[in-house]
Every structure is written in C-alpha cells, then in structure tokens.
Amino acid sequence: MKVFNTLSGKKEEFVPQGDEVKMYVCGVTPYDDAHLGHAMSYIIFDVIRRYLKYCKYNVKYVQNVTDIDDKIIDRANQRGVSTRELAEKFTASYVEDMKSLNIEPPDKNPYATDVIPDMIEVIQGLIDKGYAYPAGGSVYFRVRSVPDYGKLSKRSLDSMRSGTTCEIGEEKEDPMDFVLWKAAKPGEPSWESPWGEGRPGWHIECSTMSLKYLGQTIDIHGGGRDLIFPHHENEIAQSESFTGQKPFAKYWLHNGLVQLGEEKMSKSVGNLITIREALERYSPDALRIFVLSSHYRSPLTYSEEAIEAAKGGVERLLRVVSRDDPIGGEGEAIDAKPYEEQFIKAMDDDFNTPQAIAILFDLTREINRADESGLESSKARDMLRELGGVLGLTFKAPEEAPLDVKLFAEMSKSIIAQLKRDKLEYVLQKVAANPDAENVDGYLNLLRGLRDALRKDKKFQLADDIRNRLSEFGIALEDTPTGTVWKRKR
Ligand SMILES: [Zn+2]
C-alpha cells in the first residue's frame, strides 16, 4: 500500500511501526454546527481507517475535541452562556452528525479541558529543555530552537517571518514564537498553572493528547490541508522537542478542502452548508459517494449536479444490492474476484476512491447483466456489499414517509391547483386520522398557506371551511399581524 506523505512530498510504501496502526486526526472546535468541510474530512479518514481494518491492521484512532478556544469564548459571550454549555451543545450535535453519516466513532475522543494537567507537564518539559519560555504569565515556544522547523509546510523561517506580527502586550522573544499557555484575561475561563491562571494554546492540545493516548511516535496524523501550517508544523516542533523522538508522526495525510464553485466553503465567505442541511436533502450514502468521487487530496467542488449524480449512483447500487437473486444458482456463477483485486489495487494507491467507486459500478453492471441472462450472482452481490462497506456505505434505502402523509401531500398540491371542495374534505380527513403525528406538521403548514392564499383571493367561504374543520380536529388557526399560525388545542 502506498500513501502520499506531506512530510516527504511523495507517495511512500505504508509500513506501520508496530502491530497496531496509531492514527490521530485533529477534531472539531465545537462552537457552531458542523458543515460539509467537516463531513468531507471525517468521511475520508473514516474510509482510510475502514480500509486499514479491511487489510487486517489493528487500528487505534484518536480524535480530540477543542473545547476551549477563542472562538468558543466569543460565541459563548455573544449567547450569554458558559463556554462549557456551548461546547457540550455543539459536541453533542457533532457526534449526532457523525453518526448520521455512518462515521465510526474514535477509539478515544478526549476533550482538551480534561487533559490540562498533562498539557502543563509537556509545557514544563519544553521550558526545562530550553524550547519554551514563560513571559508575562504566558508561555511561548522558541521556534528558532528547532533547526528543522518548517519541514512539513516547506517554508523557510524568513518567509514565515514576513507573515507574523507582534501583538501589543505580547512579550515574545521573536514574532514567530507561538503560544503554549495563554495568561488569563478577565472574564475568561482559566486553570491554575506554574505560570499563573490561564488556558492552553490550540497546538499543544493535539501534541499532548497524541502523546498521552498513542505514545511518542504515531503512524498516521491526519487533517485538512489548511492545518499544515501553522498547526501541524507546531505540533511536530512541540512533540519532537519534548520527547526527543523523531518522527512524531511517520505519515502526514491531508485532505483537500470543500469549495462552492470557485470559492472555498468557509464561515468568513458565508457560504457554508451544514451537515444537517445536506442530510435533509440527501442520504448519507449519497453524500459519501459525492465526497469519495474526487480524490481526497484534491479540492471537492460542491454542486447540485455532482451530488444529484451521486444520488443516482447510490440508487443504482441499492437496486442491485437489494434485489433478490432471481435464479439462485441455476446458471453459472459470475466471477467477482477480479473486481475485488482491482478495488484493492485502487485503494492501495493512496486511497484512490474515485477509481474504487468506478469498480463498484462496473461490478453493478456485471450483476445486472448476469441477472438478465440467468447467471448466478449472489456471491458477486455479497462482494459488492462488502466492498461498499469498506467505503462506509450503509445500503439503506432512504426512509419513506408513511403512506397517508404522501397522499396528503399529493392531495394538498391538487387542492392548490384546483381548489375543489371534495378533495379538501379528503385532506382534512387525513389530518383527522393522524393529527398528532409529527410528520403532519409540514402539511398543516401547507394548509395554513392555502388558507392565506384563499383569503387573498377573497374565497372566504372556503378559507373559513378550512379553519372550522381544523378546529374540529383540535387544531386552531390564529391570524396574527405577521400571518397565520397554527396551534394544537389542548
Ligand atoms: Zn490538531
């Protein structure tokens, strides 16, 4: 198996250092809903982990939660809640998103604030060895003490220097030095330390957690490309200086970023699509196929066309996987082995998922041909299911709405089109049959809108009929200055 290592800038043979593959991926800062950028990165590392397991490696996967950070403090202040409350809320929502996307949970998912004593120990160790220094209640890492600093991002000290500035109040020896421990500011959460009250910097969290849960050297460190500098560069400097062991991580894997059209998808541009929004429209399998249809190191361009194509692909796979074998062994069995070999070859080449997916579709076509001509295809179908599972596909059909609600929707549409009373009666009966079901809400909203439209058209009799009949079913429509709202009567 070959993987592209950012550290060497080339594809290398993958040879783990021990029996277990130790894998660390930088986690989220939970201050807002997770978006497609997170979905992309965590789906990719989920697939890498699943493929390593498929290749019979034992994998230990650690991913942190940065539950204390400037962004969390700012957002908590805006909302008037504690940082803990905010971080817990968005961590819970993130965990749920990952579950919906069929991403396996990490073996260890530590919170930064749970390992503060360990971080203090690492920082103290760096001070003792001369790599760090306290100043004004903070502690900084002395970048010039590390001769190979910049080896991951391939930057020279001079080019980095031009991009740094000294903020007023900072007592750094050199503008490039970065913070390990931040002195407490009034009103911010803080912890005791040998240097006074404060909180850890972001980079030291990952070094400490990786060291604590995976040991001095790990096999794979992953994250988005945007983390190469300064975050991962600083992690290397801290970890290798503290332990005296090189390399801190043998293989550095970085995924490309999601973009919308020509632009990067980001908070600052304001074009984020949250995982929840995406899952309202597409199944987890469709999102996965969309993400994996471009190579993980390339940028992923979000477009309706691309994701619709992925959805269509998933439907083709599903039809084949869920079809009962029509012949069941009467004809000659088709040979799925070559597809498996090609799949492995693609994945062994730096996780070439676009190629791997193409092979799954080839196999799908072969099964279709076999089924049409009466050949035995059940083994090939099992193979398709297994290889799809390596990519994390669930092969679950999207949940279908209950029948009555579907009818309801259809009828509501034709009411709007035709305004026929008999059909209205029919819809109202449907509400009556199931007035408490949550999935009726959308259709009640539709009726409410319909009534508003009727009133505008001066069809007051019909509008009143809607209100009266809904009232009989325990639903009250109230006219307010901003429009009509509906409530369930108690
Ligand atoms: Zn990190």
Side-chain angles (χ1 to χ4, degrees):
M1 186 194 308
K2 283 198 155 61
V3 300
F4 185 91
N5 188 352
T6 308
L7 192 57
S8 64
K10 55 183 189 238
K11 278 188 200 171
E12 291 176 27
E13 193 60 37
F14 180 72
V15 186
Q17 299 168 93
D19 300 338
E20 193 177 53
V21 175
K22 296 175 178 180
M23 190 169 172
Y24 185 97
V25 176
C26 293
V28 286
T29 303
Y31 71 102
D32 210 339
D33 284 327
H35 52 78
L36 280 185
H38 299 111
M40 176 192 185
S41 191
Y42 297 123
I43 284 175
I44 283 162
F45 289 104
D46 182 58
V47 169
I48 291 175
R49 180 189 187 190
R50 283 172 190 266
Y51 185 64
L52 289 168
K53 285 186 182 171
Y54 174 75
C55 296
K56 307 277 183 266
Y57 288 111
N58 288 319
V59 183
K60 186 165 184 194
Y61 181 103
V62 177
Q63 189 182 311
N64 62 302
V65 177
T66 301
D67 62 341
I68 186 72
D69 173 272
D70 288 342
K71 292 194 217 73
I72 292 183
I73 293 170
D74 289 348
R75 186 61 58 91
N77 285 342
Q78 278 167 24
R79 295 200 172 188
V81 296
S82 71
T83 52
R84 173 122 218 146
E85 216 175 308
L86 187 91
E88 276 176 2
K89 173 182 149 69
F90 286 111
T91 302
S93 136
Y94 164 79
V95 167
E96 204 179 298
D97 287 349
M98 294 300 109
K99 203 172 156 199
S100 310
L101 290 171
N102 196 32
I103 290 171
E104 290 183 349
D107 296 310
K108 204 85 199 168
N109 195 202
Y111 288 63
T113 57
D114 288 342
V115 293
I116 287 188
D118 304 87
M119 291 193 242
I120 290 175
E121 200 185 308
V122 174
I123 296 170
Q124 188 59 56
L126 289 169
I127 295 174
D128 294 344
K129 291 183 175 181
Y131 291 106
Y133 55 93
S138 295
V139 180
Y140 298 97
F141 188 90
R142 193 174 273 130
V143 166
R144 285 194 187 272
S145 66
V146 178
D148 60 1
Y149 186 80
K151 65 183 170 185
L152 182 73
S153 55
K154 322 280 182 252
R155 290 176 192 224
S156 68
L157 287 182
D158 289 335
S159 78
M160 284 184 259
R161 179 152 202 167
S162 65
T164 54
T165 50
C166 239
E167 282 177 37
I168 295 162
E170 283 190 353
E171 291 102 342
K172 291 184 193 177
E173 288 175 0
D174 187 300
M176 279 194 316
D177 292 351
F178 59 87
V179 73
L180 299 172
W181 185 262
K182 291 184 182 190
K185 289 185 198 147
E188 285 185 359
S190 62
W191 288 262
E192 272 179 40
S193 82
W195 320 286
E197 291 270 321
R199 61 187 166 96
W202 172 35
H203 316 303
I204 198 71
E205 287 177 21
C206 286
S207 285
T208 305
M209 293 191 226
S210 181
L211 186 70
K212 182 176 168 89
Y213 297 106
L214 293 172
Q216 296 199 337
T217 56
I218 64 172
D219 297 294
I220 295 177
H221 192 119
R225 301 195 56 79
D226 50 346
L227 296 183
I228 296 175
F229 186 85
H231 185 52
H232 288 166
E233 197 70 73
N234 291 351
E235 277 189 44
I236 293 177
Q238 295 164 155
S239 301
E240 293 183 353
S241 302
F242 177 74
T243 64
Q245 297 288 322
K246 288 183 192 190
F248 157 50
K250 197 168 175 194
Y251 304 97
W252 284 87
L253 271 54
H254 290 103
N255 63 271
L257 306 178
V258 180
Q259 48 184 47
L260 198 67
E262 295 295 301
E263 278 192 291
K264 184 192 160 189
M265 190 178 275
S266 78
K267 180 131 277 178
S268 51
V269 181
N271 58 358
L272 284 182
I273 297 171
T274 66
I275 293 174
R276 259 151 225 225
E277 285 165 345
L279 283 173
E280 271 170 25
R281 300 186 55 193
Y282 300 101
S283 70
D285 283 358
L287 285 174
R288 213 171 249 266
I289 291 278
F290 162 66
V291 167
L292 299 176
S293 291
S294 82
H295 191 268
Y296 78 89
R297 283 192 285 119
S298 312
L300 175 68
T301 303
Y302 181 87
S303 72
E304 293 286 318
E305 296 77 43
I307 201 155
E308 284 293 336
K311 187 180 162 194
V314 168
E315 283 162 8
R316 289 205 299 283
L317 290 173
L318 256 177
R319 271 198 296 277
V320 165
V321 165
S322 56
R323 185 190 301 150
D324 292 328
D325 185 358
I327 300 298
E330 263 183 46
E332 197 187 330
I334 53 168
D335 184 10
K337 197 79 192 155
Y339 293 94
E340 184 188 27
E341 285 164 6
Q342 287 175 52
F343 180 90
I344 291 171
K345 200 172 155 219
M347 292 298 283
D348 273 352
D349 181 17
D350 193 28
F351 313 105
N352 189 340
T353 56
Q355 186 63 30
I357 288 172
I359 290 153
L360 293 191
F361 285 123
D362 288 347
L363 179 56
T364 303
R365 273 188 289 275
E366 170 102 39
I367 295 172
N368 276 331
R369 276 196 298 271
D371 290 348
E372 278 162 24
S373 50
L375 299 176
E376 212 278 330
S377 63
S378 61
K379 284 217 172 65
R381 215 184 302 279
D382 290 345
M383 175 75 73
L384 181 60
R385 215 174 271 124
E386 187 188 357
L387 299 180
V390 174
L391 298 182
L393 297 175
T394 65
F395 293 118
K396 274 192 200 137
E399 275 177 38
E400 293 193 11
L403 190 63
D404 61 333
V405 175
K406 260 196 195 165
L407 270 175
F408 194 163
E410 214 173 277
M411 287 301 150
S412 302
K413 266 190 232 150
S414 62
I415 292 164
I416 288 169
Q418 303 172 27
L419 298 176
K420 280 194 182 158
R421 292 191 68 144
D422 54 344
K423 290 200 175 172
L424 175 61
E425 287 295 322
Y426 184 83
V427 172
L428 291 174
Q429 276 167 26
K430 287 289 157 197
V431 186
N434 204 0
D436 289 328
E438 239 172 67
N439 48 21
V440 165
D441 291 19
Y443 302 105
L444 279 172
N445 285 335
L446 195 61
L447 272 183
R448 186 199 59 187
L450 171 62
R451 180 173 165 274
D452 284 347
L454 289 170
R455 282 161 60 89
K456 261 197 200 127
D457 273 349
K458 304 205 186 314
K459 292 188 168 46
F460 293 112
Q461 184 60 51
L462 203 48
D464 285 350
D465 280 353
I466 292 179
R467 195 217 300 256
N468 296 340
R469 291 303 303 277
L470 284 176
S471 171
E472 285 170 30
F473 305 135
I475 290 153
L477 288 180
E478 287 174 14
D479 296 315
T480 72
T482 51
T484 313
V485 296
W486 65 263
K487 285 185 181 142
R488 288 204 167 89
K489 290 195 286 195
R490 290 278 154 212

